[in-house]
Amino acid sequence: MNLEFNIAVHALTFLSKHSSERFSSVELSSKVCVNPVQLRRVMSKLLEEGYITTQKGKYGGYRINGNVLDTPLSNLFKLFASSQSFGRIYTGTKESDCKISNEMSRVMSNYHRKEFEIIEKYYQNISIGDILNDILMEGYNEKV
């Protein structure tokens, strides 16, 4: 899990609950508890993917685009985890005369790919609606 994925889930859940309203980046970032720059980075990807709409001007802001309650979290996980920059996360090098060092990056990369697939599969069965229902049922005994 990474912060951008969490921001996306939080923002879409909040906007789904308040589907008839628009929120500026400052308002929404306050609700999501991140700075507006972080929020706008995530929201631009959600806009590109059609999850939200934006309107400029005095009464503008972000708004949910239709019903995203059935959106599986795996869609968001792929969108944000696959674009995450890991930098150097593997040790070893092909230039080493050590067999372990030669192969470590390849082997760990394969494990990392499998880890990604397992997590993606897990999130296929959880939707934005599930997140919202978990929150509402615990705090308010309501359900969407």
Side-chain angles (χ1 to χ4, degrees), residues 93-104:
T93 178
K94 290 283 188 191
E95 290 75 37
S96 175
D97 59 358
C98 172
K99 173 85 171 153
I100 303 294
S101 289
N102 285 156
E103 297 298 322
M104 187 59 70

Side-chain angles (χ1 to χ4, degrees), residues 107-120:
V107 170
M108 292 307 290
S109 176
N110 287 338
Y111 285 129
H112 186 238
R113 182 183 44 75
K114 289 175 186 174
E115 173 191 16
F116 184 91
E117 291 168 0
I118 290 167
I119 296 169
E120 179 186 356

Side-chain angles (χ1 to χ4, degrees), residues 2-14 32 39 42-43 46 76-77 79-80 128:
N2 66 45
L3 182 60
E4 287 188 344
F5 170 68
N6 194 272
I7 292 169
V9 171
H10 193 151
L12 290 178
T13 303
F14 178 82
V32 178
L39 179 85
V42 170
M43 299 307 275
L46 294 176
L76 301 172
F77 178 74
L79 180 63
F80 291 99
I128 294 294

